[in-house]
Amino acid sequence: MDISEVVWVPYDGSGRADRIGLNFTEVGVGVRASVTLYDRGHTSTAHMKPGDVDWKRIFHERKVRWFHTGGIFTALSDSCADVVFDAMKAAHDAGTIVSYDLNFRSKLWPSKKAVEITKKLVPSIDVLIGNEEDFQKVLGFEVEGTDETLKTLPVDAYKKMVRKWSQRTQIFRQ
């Protein structure tokens, strides 16, 4: 694996300043659902800021053809949102395909902030991934015929919402 683009940060001796995040999953059995605990505090990823990565070099010189990121990284910190914006813009300007997974996590940011930030990213997105909740919480688009619990999903209403989003996206890109 080529790790030449990894941005290394100094180790502080205890992992209090910059460390790797952890994910613990306790698998459920039967009617007992799985439980996941994310430990993302003080991660080096959350501390990224614009300028840490030379995106123009990556997309123009190295000719990366596809760039993927999503809502979880974007939500880690305000500076991560800025990094995503810069990376997606540089990728889009270089003709690189940009995909984005909305992936809403209420523990990371409120819906209002997710909508505010994600709308700025839309002009650079070529492939958008998300479910009905993601479209509601991250883009502010409602699926007609559903309630907050989203226990049922009228598929035709979901398709209608996606078409509406697609039309609006074309307006954003102009």
Side-chain angles (χ1 to χ4, degrees):
M1 179 185 327
D2 178 2
I3 61 168
S4 63
E5 298 296 341
V6 172
V7 177
W8 297 97
V9 295
Y11 180 56
D12 68 358
S14 66
R16 292 182 186 179
D18 287 304
R19 60 187 185 82
I20 295 173
L22 300 172
N23 175 341
F24 300 96
T25 300
E26 186 179 319
V27 179
V29 178
V31 297
R32 186 179 162 280
S34 295
V35 178
T36 300
L37 172 70
Y38 300 98
D39 179 16
R40 296 181 176 115
H42 308 293
T43 61
S44 53
T45 302
H47 295 151
M48 285 183 72
K49 58 190 178 309
D52 284 348
V53 177
D54 185 351
W55 298 113
K56 285 188 179 184
R57 182 175 46 68
I58 289 173
F59 298 121
H60 287 279
E61 293 175 28
R62 301 232 24 209
K63 307 232 184 277
V64 168
R65 295 178 296 154
W66 195 296
F67 176 71
H68 177 78
T69 190
I72 293 175
F73 175 68
T74 307
L76 289 178
S77 67
D78 289 341
S79 64
C80 282
D82 294 337
V83 168
V84 169
F85 181 82
D86 288 353
M88 289 174 66
K89 183 169 181 350
H92 184 75
D93 290 349
T96 301
I97 296 169
V98 175
S99 59
Y100 189 85
D101 188 341
L102 296 170
N103 220 340
F104 179 70
R105 295 293 187 268
S106 61
K107 290 181 179 179
L108 293 176
W109 59 356
S111 176
K112 183 177 180 181
K113 185 169 184 177
V115 169
E116 174 190 328
I117 289 174
T118 307
K119 282 188 176 182
K120 296 174 187 173
L121 303 175
V122 169
S124 296
I125 298 172
D126 298 304
V127 178
L128 183 65
I129 302 164
N131 63 24
E132 60 282 357
E133 181 186 23
D134 293 334
F135 272 84
Q136 291 180 6
K137 302 288 186 180
V138 181
L139 298 173
F141 275 74
E142 295 298 322
V143 178
E144 292 177 21
T146 60
D147 60 12
E148 184 66 27
T149 63
L150 296 170
K151 288 191 180 202
T152 62
L153 176 63
V155 175
D156 288 335
Y158 183 70
K159 289 178 182 179
K160 181 180 176 182
M161 184 274 308
V162 170
R163 280 191 296 275
K164 183 178 176 184
W165 169 252
S166 181
Q167 291 168 350
R168 173 116 7 122
T169 301
Q170 295 308 316
I171 294 169
F172 286 145
R173 286 182 171 229
Q174 295 175 357

